[in-house]
Amino acid sequence: MIFVNLPVSDVAASRAFYTSLGFSVNEQFSDDSSVSVVVSDTIFLQLLSTGRFAAFLPEGRQAGDPRQTSAMHALSCDSREEVDALVQKALAAGGGTWRPAEDHGYMVGGSFTDPDGHVWEVMWMDPAQGR
């Protein structure tokens, strides 16, 4: 399992953005200062207000600006169509464009940013190609 903790400027807006992508929320681990987004059975996002996120950092450290590309997160999709659909949902929900889509025949990729600038890449590879 993986748990990705991300600072966000507006917890409610982040909740709305990620649920509009089709992800669910685990209310047991959500409150006014954080939201627990269930991406899959093994992938979870903990979106924390910047103040709450800062409480987990060592003294003297601060969170980086996601708009300066401190990390890129990648998710695999089950089809080419799912890649395109997820990118379109993100853009319609207020996300931004990151890079142009890529189509290599055996692999396609798309990307977007969330409202805070966190980068998400989504990709599909043809399992028959064995690359």
Side-chain angles (χ1 to χ4, degrees):
M1 293 172 58
I2 184 169
F3 297 87
V4 179
N5 297 290
L6 299 172
V8 299
S9 58
D10 184 330
V11 173
S14 292
R15 173 192 282 262
F17 177 79
Y18 284 97
T19 56
S20 73
L21 299 182
F23 303 135
S24 62
V25 170
N26 182 334
E27 297 296 347
Q28 182 179 2
F29 299 108
S30 301
D31 59 26
D32 290 343
S33 65
S34 70
V35 61
S36 181
V37 176
V38 181
V39 176
S40 74
D41 291 341
T42 58
I43 303 171
F44 304 88
L45 307 179
Q46 195 66 33
L47 308 174
L48 304 152
S49 68
T50 52
R52 183 137 181 222
F53 186 87
F56 290 98
L57 300 175
E59 188 174 332
R61 301 286 303 231
Q62 51 187 297
D65 179 358
R67 296 186 193 285
Q68 298 301 316
T69 319
S70 57
M72 291 181 281
H73 310 89
L75 296 172
S76 64
C77 294
D78 292 331
S79 68
R80 296 171 169 271
E81 295 78 19
E82 187 180 357
V83 169
D84 293 339
L86 194 55
V87 170
Q88 290 307 311
K89 285 180 187 178
L91 296 177
T97 300
W98 176 245
R99 293 183 358 175
E102 296 182 25
D103 188 340
H104 301 283
Y106 67 93
M107 179 178 77
V108 296
S111 61
F112 59 88
T113 60
D114 74 4
D116 285 283
H118 297 288
V119 174
W120 290 95
E121 294 187 329
V122 290
M123 53 81 62
W124 169 82
M125 283 172 101
D126 182 352
Q129 295 293 322
R131 292 187 183 234

